[in-house]
Amino acid sequence: ARSRTVGELLAPTSPFDKKCGRENWTVAFAPDGSYLAWSQGHRIVKLVPWAQCLNNFLLHGTKNGANPASTRLPRQNSESGQKNKPCEHIIDCGDIVWSLAFGSSVPEKQSRCVNIEWHRFKFGQDQLLLATGLNNGRIKIWDVYTGKLLLNLMDHTEVVRDLTFAPDGSLILVSASRDKTLRVWDLKDDGNMMKVLRGHQNWVYACAFSPDSSILCSVGASKAVFLWDMDKYSMLRKLEGHHNDVVACEFSPDGALLATASYDTRVYVWDPHIGVILMEFGHLFPAPTPIFAGGANDRWVRSVSFSHDGLHIASLADDKMVRFWRIDEEYPVQVAPLNNGLCCTFSTDGSVLAAGQDGSVYFWATPRQVSSLQHLCRMAIRRVMPTSQVKNLPIPSKVVEFLCYQI
């Protein structure tokens, strides 16, 4: 089935603007769904109110230049009069932007963090930050509501390839870099760097927190998929199975599954708690042998994203296709064309997939299906306990099977 196009946000171009440098490596939605951010190429990041985008798509069709004069909608839970209207911002980061991440002081779930008093700047209850990772190794932290620069974090020596905030509201930021390290920053302590995670032998491409913020996954060159204990800052395990560089990863909403995308033409869905592959989504048929999977094969998978229903996964590959998969089916349920797609992510409510390409962003409607009772039960229990605890529950074995994601 063909996925339905929702809209597109096109970056302005000049006659002298060369394609080189316009790559959109990152697109992100704010945790509360209020904002969308993407890199327009070169040094520019665009921040737009997401509700305004959707309204413009409905009013004016699919093409949209994100006009700053468009109607602005009030932001929820705001106490300040000057912040009650989300505004567009164009941010010049001073260097090529490789990564973006929103961080909120409001936890997405129950928080594991303690309350720490702010130092350099005072944050309200609904503070929203945007972190940008740059080509020169710097990380710049911006206030989303004002577009002002708050912090400039300098410690990486190479490109900051990915950023991720802990979803517990602690404003702990992890950065992944080509300098082969991950760094943990505490933005509630003036951006103090808390820890350096070492273990990768080559470039680190991406990192992602589990929903409860207890585990971090990092992926990189040389087939690397590492899991880290974020309470002890130690490596939990390495996941082995890919045949080429692993470039993207994301946990399912219940934390029970982990999706990884690789240049070996495959997306794997793992049970990260026991380190086994539950599902393989291939982008080349027949699947390449390890030798061909380890090189240029025209089907490199560039990005993967888990839908918020826990049932669907989206992937982008070099064969100019966007694919939507169900975690329990071998073939895509929907596809859509996209040239030079580099990154993708689902909107906060899971209804739309955003994909970046050459400085612009394209949007598709997500497949919608009623979840089975089994899936709802699995997600409910897996939010609070890992695989080993589910298997040790004093319940009939058939019920244990019912509650487990099976190979």
Side-chain angles (χ1 to χ4, degrees):
R2 184 81 169 264
S3 181
R4 179 174 62 86
T5 300
V6 174
E8 54 193 39
L9 294 173
L10 305 178
T13 57
S14 67
F16 307 104
D17 196 5
K18 296 181 180 180
K19 181 181 176 183
C20 181
R22 290 192 56 81
E23 289 87 356
N24 175 3
W25 289 104
T26 178
V27 60
F29 288 93
D32 63 357
S34 58
Y35 276 91
L36 166 74
W38 78 98
S39 59
Q40 290 194 333
H42 305 297
R43 316 177 338 178
I44 304 302
V45 169
K46 188 72 172 282
L47 261 171
V48 294
W50 176 234
Q52 173 186 310
C53 285
L54 286 178
N55 274 359
N56 288 345
F57 293 155
L58 293 173
L59 291 173
H60 307 297
T62 61
K63 292 196 176 182
N64 187 286
N67 181 4
S70 300
T71 305
R72 293 170 180 167
L73 302 178
R75 185 170 54 83
Q76 296 177 347
N77 303 325
S78 177
E79 297 175 1
S80 169
Q82 72 181 63
K83 290 184 178 180
N84 64 359
K85 291 184 178 179
C87 301
E88 288 188 6
H89 297 291
I90 296 178
I91 297 173
D92 186 340
C93 295
D95 204 347
I96 295 172
V97 180
W98 284 87
S99 50
L100 292 173
F102 281 98
S104 174
S105 56
V106 179
E108 296 176 35
K109 298 177 40 170
Q110 185 177 358
S111 178
R112 297 180 340 124
C113 70
V114 295
N115 290 322
I116 305 173
E117 189 174 323
W118 289 103
H119 296 270
R120 185 178 303 174
F121 36 80
K122 186 68 178 173
F123 280 76
Q125 177 62 17
D126 61 351
Q127 182 64 31
L128 189 60
L129 305 179
L130 180 70
T132 55
L134 307 181
N135 193 68
N136 58 10
R138 295 191 178 188
I139 302 167
K140 292 187 176 181
I141 311 297
W142 310 82
D143 185 314
V144 170
Y145 303 133
T146 64
K148 292 181 179 178
L149 179 65
L150 298 176
L151 286 171
N152 195 349
L153 309 180
M154 296 176 287
D155 210 67
H156 282 297
T157 57
E158 294 281 350
V159 170
V160 180
R161 192 62 185 82
D162 198 21
L163 295 164
T164 183
F165 276 94
D168 60 7
S170 61
L171 289 181
I172 297 297
L173 173 70
V174 176
S175 54
S177 171
R178 287 183 180 174
D179 65 13
K180 308 176 186 177
T181 68
L182 298 128
R183 295 174 192 263
V184 186
W185 313 82
D186 185 357
L187 298 193
K188 286 189 175 179
D189 187 19
D190 295 345
N192 178 47
M193 192 185 70
M194 302 164 59
K195 200 72 178 178
V196 180
L197 303 180
R198 305 182 189 275
H200 285 269
Q201 301 301 309
N202 288 287
W203 290 1
V204 190
Y205 278 98
C207 54
F209 268 103
S210 63
D212 66 358
S213 305
S214 66
I215 298 175
L216 180 83
C217 175
S218 64
V219 298
S222 303
K223 316 172 192 176
V225 182
F226 296 164
L227 296 178
W228 306 84
D229 182 330
M230 294 307 287
D231 290 321
K232 301 176 181 177
Y233 300 113
S234 60
M235 190 181 296
L236 282 172
R237 63 173 56 89
K238 300 178 183 180
L239 303 182
E240 297 183 358
H242 280 296
H243 300 292
N244 202 336
D245 294 358
V246 189
V247 295
C249 59
E250 190 164 11
F251 282 90
S252 61
D254 60 3
L257 303 174
L258 172 70
T260 57
S262 169
Y263 289 166
D264 65 9
T265 77
R266 298 171 175 93
V267 168
Y268 284 153
V269 180
W270 309 76
D271 183 327
H273 303 285
I274 56 177
V276 300
I277 298 170
L278 299 179
M279 197 73 184
E280 175 184 324
F281 299 130
H283 294 67
L284 181 61
F285 298 98
T289 63
I291 292 177
F292 290 101
N297 48 53
D298 298 325
R299 295 292 189 279
W300 283 3
V301 187
R302 296 281 181 177
S303 185
V304 66
S305 185
F306 235 114
S307 175
H308 296 254
D309 63 4
L311 197 60
H312 292 92
I313 291 173
S315 65
L316 288 184
D318 280 351
D319 61 356
K320 304 177 182 179
M321 297 292 287
V322 180
R323 291 172 173 85
F324 294 92
W325 313 79
R326 271 181 60 111
I327 59 170
D328 53 0
E329 293 185 14
E330 190 176 354
Y331 299 103
V333 292
Q334 288 186 13
V335 296
L338 179 68
N339 290 335
N340 304 321
L342 295 173
C343 60
C344 67
T345 188
F346 283 97
S347 61
T348 307
D349 65 358
S351 63
V352 172
L353 180 78
Q357 169 250 14
D358 294 344
S360 300
V361 191
Y362 298 84
F363 303 91
W364 292 274
T366 302
R368 286 303 184 102
Q369 291 173 300
V370 177
S371 297
S372 66
L373 177 62
Q374 180 185 25
H375 184 67
L376 295 174
C377 290
R378 282 189 304 204
M379 288 193 68
I381 197 165
R382 294 311 299 273
R383 287 181 189 276
V384 295
M385 61 178 63
T387 307
S388 57
Q389 291 183 21
V390 173
K391 291 189 173 180
N392 290 330
L393 287 172
I395 55 177
S397 58
K398 284 293 183 183
V399 180
V400 172
E401 289 180 20
F402 184 81
L403 294 174
C404 285
Y405 294 97
Q406 301 292 332
I407 298 175

